[in-house]
Amino acid sequence: MNVYEIVLKELGEACKILDIDPGVYELLREPMRVFTCSIPVRMDDGSVKVFTGYRCQHNDALGPTKGGLRFHPEVDLDETKALAAWMTFKCALVGIPYGGGKGGVKVNPKELSRREIERLSRNFIRALAPIVGPDKDIPAPDVYTNPQVMAWMMDEFSQLKGVNVPGLVTGKPIILGGSAGREEATARGCVIVIREAAKTINLKLDNATAVVQGYGNAGSAAARLLSELGVKVIAANDSGGGVYNQNGFDPVALKKHKDATGSVKGFENCSDISNEELLELECDILVPAALGNVITSKNADRIKTRIIGEAANGPTTPQADEILDKKGVLVLPDILANAGGVTVSYFEWVQNLMHYYWTVEEVNQKLEDYMVKAFKNVYKTYQETEADMRIAAYMVAIKRLDEAMRIRGWV
Ligand code: NAD
C-alpha cells in the first residue's frame, strides 16, 4: 500500500463506523485543489535548472489550509496528497481553525549551494503566491526545509505584496515573528499525550523505560522531556546507527555527542544496536521519530512495549496496527501524537496576526491544554467504540469536518 492508499483505508474505516454521509466521505477522499508548477532556478555556474513543485490543499472547511513544504528527491503528488489529508485530520482533531495542506519540490537539496537553495525557495513561493497567504494557505518547514527557508519565502512574498506578511508561513526564526517554544513543540505534544496515556494503563513514569527511533529534532527533544518526567531512556538511534544501555543514559549528553560527531554512535557507556533490534527492545514506551513504515506486519509481533507515541508521520502500517491492537499495545497515532507542532504553528500565526508575542511559558501552557483535551476526546471515543486509537482519532476529526461541511451547505 502506498501512503495515499493507507489514508484512504483509515478514512474509510472511520467513516463506516460513523455512518458518515457519502458526500462527506467523497469530499474527504480527494483533495479540494492540487497545484503543480515548474520552477526555473539560476545555478551558481550560470546554467538554469527547472524543478517541479507541488502544493495540495486538501480541505478548507474548518479554515485556511496549513502544512509543510519539503525539499526532497522523492516528493510526488500521491505522497503530497496523503500528507495534506493527514494535516486536515490533525488540525480538526486538535480543534485548531485550519484545513490541511502540504507541498514540496522534487529536489535533492544536498546537491545545491546555500544561494541556490535561496533562489529555489524564493522562486517557489513566487509560483505559489496566487494560492497562498495568511487567510488562504499557510506553509511551514518540513523535511529538509527550515526556519531560514521560511524567512526567504516570507521576505519574497512580502516584497511582492509591498507589505510585511509574517503570517504567510510559520516556523520562522524568532526575530521575524517565530513563536517561542515552536522548536520542541512536536516533542512536547508527544510527551504530553504519552503522559496522559500512561495514566490510563497505570504505568508509573518514574523509572519506566523508553526507546527512541530517530534522534533528530523531535526524537532528541522527546527523550529529554521524557527523562524530565523520570523515564529512563535506554536506547536511541539515527541514520548512522544506534546506542543502548539497559540502565539508561542522559539524553542531553547524547544530543551533545550527536551535535559534535554527527551521530549517536560511539556514545559513552553504551553498546551498539541495529535498527531492527532497537525497535524490538523490551520497554514501556517506544517513540518512532524518524520515517514512515517502520512498524509493519514483519516486526509488529516482536514489538515489546506498552505505549507507542508516534512522533513521526505514518510509522505504523494498518496491518501492524491490527497486530499491536491484539497484543494490547496502546498506539498513540501520529495525527494525535505529533500534532503539537502544528498547534504551536497556529499560536505563531495568531501572534503574527495580532503583532503581540507570548512567553515560552504561555505557549507551553496553551499547548498543554490543547493536547490534553485532544487526548481525552480520542481516548473517550476509543473506549466507547470498537475502534483502535488511530481510527478513534480519525473519528473525532471527521465529526468536526462533517459538521463544518454540513453547516457550510456543501453536503
Ligand atoms: P529530523 O530530520 O530532525 O530527524 C530525523 C532523525 O531520524 C534524524 O536523526 C535521522 O538521522 C534519523 N533517521 C533517518 N533515517 C533513519 C533510520 N533508518 N533509522 C533511524 N533513524 C533514522 O526530523 P524531525 O523534524 O525530528 O522529524 C522526525 C519525524 O517527525 C518525521 O517523520 C516528521 O515528518 C515528523 N514530524 C515532525 C514535526 C516537527 O515539527 N519537527 C512535526 C510533525 C511530524
Side-chain angles (χ1 to χ4, degrees), residues 70 90 142-143 182 186 213-219 237-240 258 275 289-291 311-313 338 341:
R70 60 176 58 176
K90 204 179 290 189
D142 200 80
V143 178
R182 173 63 187 90
T186 301
Q213 189 212 24
Y215 216 65
N217 177 17
N237 72 353
D238 57 27
S239 53
K258 180 172 160 86
N275 186 41
L291 309 165
N313 283 314
N338 70 32

Side-chain angles (χ1 to χ4, degrees), residues 89-109:
F89 303 126
K90 204 179 290 189
C91 294
L93 165 60
V94 279
I96 55 180
Y98 285 142
K102 203 78 175 194
V105 178
K106 196 173 183 60
V107 58
N108 184 355

Side-chain angles (χ1 to χ4, degrees), residues 19 25 30 33 40 68 93 104 121 125 127 145 166 189 197 220-221 261 294 304 316 358 366 372 386 405 411:
D19 194 19
Y25 174 56
E30 280 299 319
R33 205 171 288 122
L93 165 60
S121 306
I125 205 70
T145 55
S220 62
T261 66
V294 294
K304 296 184 272 305
T316 312
W358 299 325
K366 291 180 203 309
V372 170
E386 293 292 294
M405 287 195 265
V411 286

Side-chain angles (χ1 to χ4, degrees), residues 242-315:
V243 290
Y244 168 60
N245 180 339
Q246 183 55 43
N247 297 319
F249 50 74
D250 175 6
V252 178
L254 179 61
K255 174 78 168 53
K256 280 191 190 142
H257 172 84
K258 180 172 160 86
D259 289 346
T261 66
S263 170
V264 295
K265 248 194 131 178
F267 183 53
E268 59 190 16
N269 302 325
C270 285
S271 45
D272 287 353
I273 187 163
S274 72
N275 186 41
E276 292 69 33
E277 289 168 327
L278 176 128
L279 288 170
E280 294 168 18
L281 276 175
E282 187 161 352
C283 61
D284 298 306
I285 300 158
L286 174 62
V287 181
L291 309 165
N293 272 343
V294 294
I295 303 175
T296 67
S297 55
K298 293 204 178 98
N299 62 358
D301 216 20
R302 295 193 297 277
I303 302 271
K304 296 184 272 305
T305 190
R306 298 181 69 188
I307 295 176
I308 296 180
E310 293 185 342
N313 283 314

Side-chain angles (χ1 to χ4, degrees), residues 27-28 30-32 56-60 65 81 84-85 88-89 100-101:
L27 277 167
L28 292 174
E30 280 299 319
M32 209 171 58
C56 172
Q57 296 169 341
H58 176 258
N59 185 289
D60 65 358
T65 47
K81 280 164 65 178
T88 298
F89 303 126

